[in-house]
Amino acid sequence: MNRLTTLARRITRRFPRLTMSVARHPWRAGGITVVAVAAVVGIVIGIIKLLGPDFVCGQGMSVNAADTECYGVDLDSGPLAAHEPAKMVALENAVKANNDIRDSHGQPTQDYVSIVLLMNLSPDPRVDTRSYADVYPDIEGVLTAAWQANHTADFGSIPKVKVFLANMGSQYAGWSVAADRITDNAAANHITAVTGLGQSLEVTQAAARKIVTKARLPVITGTLTGDSMNFFPNSRTLNNGFFRLAPTNTDTVAAAAAFIARIEPNQARVAIVQDNAAGDDYNQTLGRAADADMPKAHQFPFTSPTQLPGNIPRRQELVQQFSFLDQNVCSVAPTVIYFAGRGADLGAFVQTWTQAGTPCATGPVWIVTGDDGGTAINDPAMRHALNGSHVRVVFTSEASPDEWGPCATAHDLHALEQANYNTFQAAFTGQPDACNHQHVTADDGAAPLSFDPADLRSEEAAGAHDAAMLAVTVARRADHDTDNGDGGIVVQDPYSQIGIIEETQCLNALPGATGRIQYSQNHADYGNPVRKPVPIVQILPDGSTKTLFLANSGVGVSPSPTC
């Protein structure tokens, strides 16, 4: 039915006169019917050949009005958008292979749980602030956690774990549809948690609320830092089902301010460039925290476009706006610029700053930004602007391959944190552990993963891995009756996991690639982790990264003495 509906819609749009004629002159019974049907069949076949292969959404999804992307949960692990890059198709196939869960006799089994990765999985580079290059590490991180769960004893052994991708679409236009499809298909497909969300926006906040309250599923995010994301939209009511692994913007800005004070003690030489775009909790809370931590810095607002015609690239508008903004920023001759905006816009800002028309571009300057700055790593404009210039760009990450420095020799918390990351990295790449030189091998002989180490430069993969790892661990800690072979009580009542996640603290803290996972005992900080490491990472002209400074989040937050 989905295919026929899609075809009818396309025919109607492409051939309006034909469809109007059919509607006005219905065929009558008799011999003319056969002729008419034959004619219509010939026309339809011709139209199909003319339009090319039809784009069809699989089970659990609905096609958007433009027939270009699917909203919902991808139960078939098929395409999520028309004309997907080859790497996206390969990852969808890897998800499908992971989900071929079988029992000891080689037969499909119902003894499994499913983790959903929900975000914009069909980004449009002209209008979205995320790209496919940003999406890949998220999928790879979740698959790494599932591989460890299904083929090693790292997180226990039962039940097995499936992964489903769920798409909110470009500009998150299908967030509500995606949340509904997850709700509709949760019980039948043993969905026990939703991870991801992608960005700290009002629409992703609304999606989190709908999933928790309607689907009764916990939402665990790996990389969201917007301060207000653990509340319901436009309120101060806590979402008691939302948990993040990343520090808040308040904490990451505190770490950034500590780094800035080391390189520029005089705040009067610091400029804060803040995006005022509505509906973006990341930009807004990042800017507020920067203003609070650096009160003597100079503030320079701008507003990025939230709606664009399809033929106007986002960067084109921003470069024009930044060329004027830079003139004003130069009036204070800053040595440090804190960029409180999206990482996708950072390249355009650095590009305009380094152009000859900017009056103060010849002097050295540090540009510091939040964790979303990791999305600029793959930006060619960024690399070109950094090459040969006096600009250095750093961002507050949640994980970095070199954040722990040389291999630890002492058996302390530092060594434990380093070992946790190295285990994740070895499982992700299929290469030996960087310190003990051992491979992470499957207990059942399964082939190792071999994801690109370059996809670890941002925090996306590690954050996605830890969110999925927490979801799997909690599902397995829940009351699981292996005799039923149906996933256990956690499948029947996934909301029962909330209390277990809340107790992920003190002796129940978990070792994660992004640092120890433990939640605040302060109710006002519900759903927020404490004492997560915050590496300050520099983006180099060749696209590589280097950790310059390591801070801790949770400034002013102390775990209970009993922990």
Side-chain angles (χ1 to χ4, degrees), residues 323-369:
S323 64
F324 292 100
L325 173 67
D326 291 346
Q327 307 293 322
N328 291 328
V329 175
C330 277
S331 66
V332 300
T335 57
V336 178
I337 299 172
Y338 189 84
F339 185 79
R342 284 287 169 190
D345 301 335
L346 183 60
F349 178 76
V350 177
Q351 177 185 354
T352 56
W353 183 264
T354 56
Q355 289 175 345
T358 304
C360 59
T362 56
V365 65
W366 288 83
I367 298 177
V368 184
T369 190

Side-chain angles (χ1 to χ4, degrees), residues 152-186:
T152 76
D154 287 353
F155 320 141
S157 58
I158 54 174
K160 298 299 185 182
V161 179
K162 290 187 179 184
V163 172
F164 292 123
L165 304 181
N167 189 25
M168 290 188 271
S170 176
Q171 296 188 297
Y172 300 93
W175 72 266
S176 184
V177 175
D180 286 340
R181 295 295 179 272
I182 292 171
T183 302
D184 297 342
N185 292 281

